[in-house]
Amino acid sequence: MRIDVLTLFPGMFLPFLDESILGRARRRGLLEVQVHDLRHWAEEDRHRSVDDRPYGGGPGMVLMPGPVTRAVEAVQGACPRPGRLILLTPQGRRLDQALLAGLAREERLVLVAGHYEGFDERVRLALAPEEVSVGDYVLTGGELPALVLIDGTARLLPGVLGDGTSAACESFGEGLLEYPQYTRPAEFRGMRVPEVLLSGDHGAIARWRSEQSLRRTRERRPDLLAGSGPQGQGAQGVQGTEE
Ligand code: ADE
């Protein structure tokens, strides 16, 4: 998969993208991420502006439509097929596992991370992007949300998690939270690992895990069981898959 990111702060991306599972996926050619500096498409004025004060007054700065639109058009035009265009904003559709699963099936994504008070409304009118939010809170910009989206998408790409972990865990998930996990030592400060996990009885272990998943989901996220997550879709594969 190829992901293009447009941002005023390219330096925020590379440290994260170089490490761990994403770094490995990029080195193995499973994921290509190109980060572009929106300033490159700045207005031709003396200051190479990308933002200005809002018409009508009010706090903060608004990203101008020219640089953002030109940047998206140039980046889209650089590949034979345009990517699925996504603006990260708090006004977008809330990101969830179902949306990530859909994104992971795309060949190419183009993400635009805003900053300041947001985008001039004509960016929306000119480009008709999808809009995605990572939650009902406001961050200083769309850079972390873009990284969240990249991370959540990349781990669903074939081969990224390795040794079939992905498929196995996602099909287990079925909208439930993950069961408790344990590793060595078998006893820590008087707390023992549940005997069933040491039993070697794979059937019993699977039953225990699925009971625990259900119990945990009931206690912590009953909305998932009702099949009525915050956006009425329930959850899919909420189970974590740690490195
Ligand atoms: N930019 C600022 N806050 C955001 C959020 N919650 N989701 C996506 N982009 C954002």
Side-chain angles (χ1 to χ4, degrees):
M1 165 179 273
R2 171 173 168 143
I3 304 180
D4 290 273
V5 185
L6 288 103
T7 171
L8 288 171
F9 301 97
M12 288 186 179
F13 286 83
L14 296 177
F16 185 83
L17 295 172
D18 272 348
E19 297 286 334
S20 184
I21 292 176
L22 293 194
R24 197 174 61 213
R26 289 174 61 224
R27 287 188 289 277
R28 290 169 61 208
L30 301 170
L31 173 70
E32 180 188 355
V33 184
Q34 296 287 341
V35 183
H36 310 270
D37 190 342
L38 274 171
R39 258 180 223 289
H40 184 75
W41 290 275
E43 296 293 322
E44 301 288 318
D45 62 9
R46 221 160 30 93
H47 309 288
R48 299 198 57 76
S49 311
V50 289
D51 59 343
D52 210 335
R53 285 165 301 163
Y55 279 123
M61 301 289 272
V62 176
L63 286 172
M64 300 163 118
V68 178
T69 308
R70 283 196 295 277
V72 167
E73 286 167 353
V75 165
Q76 289 284 35
C79 283
R81 268 191 270 168
R84 184 161 160 187
L85 177 64
I86 297 177
L87 224 58
L88 283 308
T89 91
Q91 301 183 10
R93 165 179 174 189
R94 184 127 32 104
L95 186 62
D96 60 15
Q97 197 64 34
L99 179 51
L100 289 173
L103 296 177
R105 287 192 288 270
E106 302 285 344
E107 263 173 48
R108 184 176 178 219
L109 305 176
V110 175
L111 309 181
V112 188
H115 224 83
Y116 316 123
E117 283 301 307
F119 300 91
D120 183 293
E121 190 62 18
R122 290 164 293 182
V123 169
R124 296 182 165 92
L125 301 174
L127 298 172
E130 273 176 71
E131 297 188 41
V132 171
S133 160
V134 293
D136 292 342
Y137 43 83
V138 180
L139 301 170
T140 56
E143 287 77 16
L144 283 172
L147 283 169
V148 166
L149 188 152
I150 293 170
D151 186 285
T153 302
R155 64 179 283 287
L156 299 178
L157 299 177
V160 166
L161 291 183
D163 69 10
T165 326
S166 155
C169 288
E170 295 300 331
S171 61
F172 255 130
E174 289 174 0
L176 300 180
L177 300 183
E178 191 178 24
Y179 47 80
Q181 295 272 27
Y182 296 86
T183 184
R184 288 187 303 142
E187 182 168 340
F188 173 70
R189 298 189 178 175
M191 296 174 279
R192 281 198 53 77
V193 172
E195 279 315 314
V196 63
L197 297 179
L198 309 175
S199 69
D201 179 341
H202 296 298
I205 292 171
R207 278 193 299 283
W208 181 85
R209 286 180 165 167
S210 94
E211 284 158 20
Q212 291 289 323
S213 269
L214 204 56
R215 172 187 299 186
R216 218 161 235 211
T217 310
R218 203 178 290 123
E219 285 168 4
R220 298 183 185 199
R221 293 291 309 275
D223 57 305
L224 298 181
L225 290 175
S228 57
Q231 296 195 339
Q233 330 174 18
Q236 289 170 28
V238 182
Q239 181 141 318
T241 316
E242 269 143 38
E243 196 172 346

